[in-house]
Amino acid sequence: MLIGELAELAGTSARTLRYYEEQGLVRPQRDTHGYRQYDEAELKVVHEIRSLLAVGFGMDDIKPFVECLRATGSGHVCPDSVAVLRRKLAEVDGLLAELADVRLRLHTQLTQALAHRETPCSSPSPTPPSTRSC
């Protein structure tokens, strides 16, 4: 299939496919006129690339998955892919811990703000209560 056909089937653009080729991830054949020709295996590779990008992997992280996919038919079973998965999982766990800390701090601040708002002002003021700020 030509680059336009692959782009349409993969839900991407020809420009993106050329970028993947520059990164060494997609391997087109060239016909006698120099046009890129892709076989069905490249569609699977492009789907793998796009799914990994969608969950936050970078282009360098994706290379072991593509190599593994070409060698075994599955991008996740080779030692290099497993190492990248472990590293990415540890990164995500760290981000989740940071987010949990931020959430706790925000919850504490909100609780304090609501408690302060519900507490009447300690000093009397000549300003009517509806316009008074504490």
Side-chain angles (χ1 to χ4, degrees):
M1 74 185 88
L2 295 172
I3 194 167
E5 295 170 280
L6 178 60
E8 186 175 333
L9 289 171
T12 191
S13 67
R15 182 177 180 180
T16 297
L17 294 176
R18 286 189 291 273
Y19 175 71
Y20 294 164
E21 181 182 352
E22 288 171 11
Q23 298 300 306
L25 299 173
V26 175
R27 298 181 193 158
Q29 302 296 317
R30 297 286 182 156
D31 67 14
T32 56
H33 301 290
Y35 292 113
R36 291 173 175 89
Q37 291 285 334
Y38 299 90
D39 59 28
E40 289 295 320
E42 294 307 299
L43 178 59
K44 190 172 180 181
V45 168
V46 174
H47 282 302
E48 180 81 1
I49 293 167
R50 292 177 52 77
S51 69
L52 291 166
L53 287 171
V55 296
F57 285 90
M59 296 306 280
D60 288 336
D61 293 332
I62 292 172
K63 289 178 183 181
F65 292 94
V66 171
E67 292 169 4
C68 188
L69 178 63
R70 290 185 192 289
T72 69
S74 175
H76 300 84
V77 298
C78 298
D80 289 344
S81 300
V82 171
V84 172
L85 287 169
R86 283 189 175 131
R87 184 183 48 74
K88 190 65 168 179
L89 183 59
E91 180 184 318
V92 169
D93 286 342
L95 292 170
L96 287 173
E98 287 179 36
L99 283 173
D101 182 53
V102 168
R103 185 188 186 287
L104 178 61
R105 285 186 278 149
L106 290 171
H107 185 270
T108 300
Q109 289 174 350
L110 178 60
T111 302
Q112 291 171 350
L114 291 175
H116 176 72
R117 191 172 131 209
E118 294 170 3
T119 305
C121 296
S122 57
S123 62
S125 171
T127 310
S130 63
T131 60
R132 187 181 329 149
S133 63
C134 300

